[in-house]
Amino acid sequence: MIRKTLVGLLVVSVALVFGSSAFAKKGKYEEGAVSGGGSISGSVSLKGNPTPAIMEDLNKGKNVEFCSTHPDTQKGGIRPRVKVVATGGKLSGAVVFIEEITKGKAWGWKNQNFDFTTCDIFPKIAVIKKASTAEKKAGGVASVTNNDPDILHNPHGYSVVGASRKTLFNKPLPSKGDVAEVSKNLARFKHNKDIHFFLQCDQHNYMEADARIVWNPYFAVTGADGSFKIGDVPAGKYKVTAWHPYVGEVTSEVTVAGGADAKQDYTL
């Protein structure tokens, strides 16, 4: 009885020191109203020059005649695949996000659809989340749409960790207008284990897209000018990371004051 009492007192003491979030399930995020929140804004720059485009010979793949209608196709059926886009040193497609924040604004999540169009995938870089129990049943987290007439596409989704890949889904889309609802497949994500989502077409393996897996709604994807802004951030001190699947990542500590904008730039 004495031992149980001591353990109980220890738990209460730790809770008082660290707050109830210390016992929150990893990856668990609590939605609520944010009063007097601030924001984080800035830009992401690329150090050096972007990696050269991969010159894809469409003649070596399937559906050459149709896939060659892609607007970027050059003479001889060669299509450049650009992995890193930077204009004036500003990096496009970098994901900036707050790490390990357990409470704040509502997700406001809108289904992330990947369009398979003219043997290409749009968007190239996005953000994805784990499907909740409700979303696993109802959908609305992510989908893939085939917009190409009479072309079989086979979206294959992976969780990537280093050189290893874990299949999440593999669904054929044989006709224009076919949609693969993949939310339930994304319920398999595990916090601190799944970081990078990769999408590829098994029929045309040069069709690729990437996404960062996030665990709270505090994120932004940089535009063509490399800028970003994350709003409705509760006042406090946070670890904020800028990530790009083919450049790397960098993390800094940012202090947000109520009603103020914290400026933070990154270089990858």
Side-chain angles (χ1 to χ4, degrees):
M1 183 67 181
I2 294 175
R3 184 176 180 179
K4 288 183 178 180
T5 301
L6 290 173
V7 171
L9 289 172
L10 178 61
V11 169
V12 171
S13 299
V14 173
L16 289 172
V17 174
F18 294 101
S20 60
S21 61
F23 299 95
K25 185 178 179 182
K26 287 185 177 181
K28 186 71 173 178
Y29 177 79
E30 182 182 343
E31 297 179 280
V34 176
S35 178
S39 60
I40 303 171
S41 68
S43 65
V44 181
S45 300
L46 177 68
K47 184 178 181 179
N49 298 318
T51 54
I54 299 170
M55 306 308 286
E56 192 71 42
D57 186 355
L58 301 181
N59 299 292
K60 296 180 179 180
K62 298 179 180 180
N63 310 114
V64 179
E65 185 175 347
F66 176 80
C67 293
S68 294
T69 63
H70 190 287
D72 293 343
T73 304
Q74 301 176 359
K75 185 178 180 181
I78 304 299
R79 196 179 97 192
R81 282 198 291 134
V82 180
K83 296 277 195 176
V84 181
V85 178
T87 303
K90 299 300 183 180
L91 184 62
S92 172
V95 180
V96 183
F97 58 96
I98 297 179
E99 304 221 29
E100 305 300 340
I101 181 171
T102 59
K103 184 178 181 180
K105 66 180 179 180
W107 270 99
W109 184 264
K110 295 181 180 179
N111 182 69
Q112 176 58 67
N113 183 72
F114 292 92
D115 283 306
F116 280 39
T117 304
T118 325
C119 299
D120 203 353
I121 304 179
F122 302 96
K124 293 291 185 190
I125 299 180
V127 170
I128 208 74
K129 70 183 285 287
K130 177 175 180 170
S132 65
T133 301
E135 290 166 333
K136 181 180 177 180
K137 296 178 180 179
V141 172
S143 57
V144 184
T145 301
N146 182 2
N147 296 309
D148 291 339
D150 304 316
I151 300 295
L152 169 64
H153 286 308
N154 201 137
H156 195 159
Y158 303 88
S159 172
V160 178
V161 180
S164 66
R165 294 182 181 181
K166 176 179 67 179
T167 292
L168 299 168
F169 60 84
N170 190 343
K171 300 186 176 185
L173 299 177
S175 304
K176 182 178 180 178
D178 285 346
V179 178
E181 221 303 330
V182 299
S183 297
K184 66 179 181 180
N185 304 93
L186 305 187
R188 298 171 57 190
F189 288 149
K190 294 182 179 179
H191 189 245
N192 287 336
K193 290 186 178 181
D194 294 296
I195 297 171
H196 178 186
F197 171 77
F198 178 69
L199 180 62
Q200 186 176 44
C201 177
D202 280 352
Q203 297 295 312
H204 315 85
N205 60 14
Y206 51 83
M207 293 175 59
E208 298 178 349
D210 299 87
R212 176 74 190 207
I213 302 166
V214 295
W215 300 89
N216 63 70
Y218 290 102
F219 59 82
V221 181
T222 60
D225 62 353
S227 67
F228 70 90
K229 186 170 185 176
I230 303 172
D232 293 325
V233 182
K237 189 177 293 184
Y238 302 98
K239 285 186 177 180
V240 182
T241 295
W243 172 90
H244 188 283
Y246 301 104
V247 180
E249 68 176 48
V250 63
T251 300
S252 65
E253 190 174 83
V254 179
T255 299
V256 178
D261 181 54
K263 297 292 185 180
Q264 182 66 50
D265 296 327
Y266 296 90
T267 300
L268 298 179

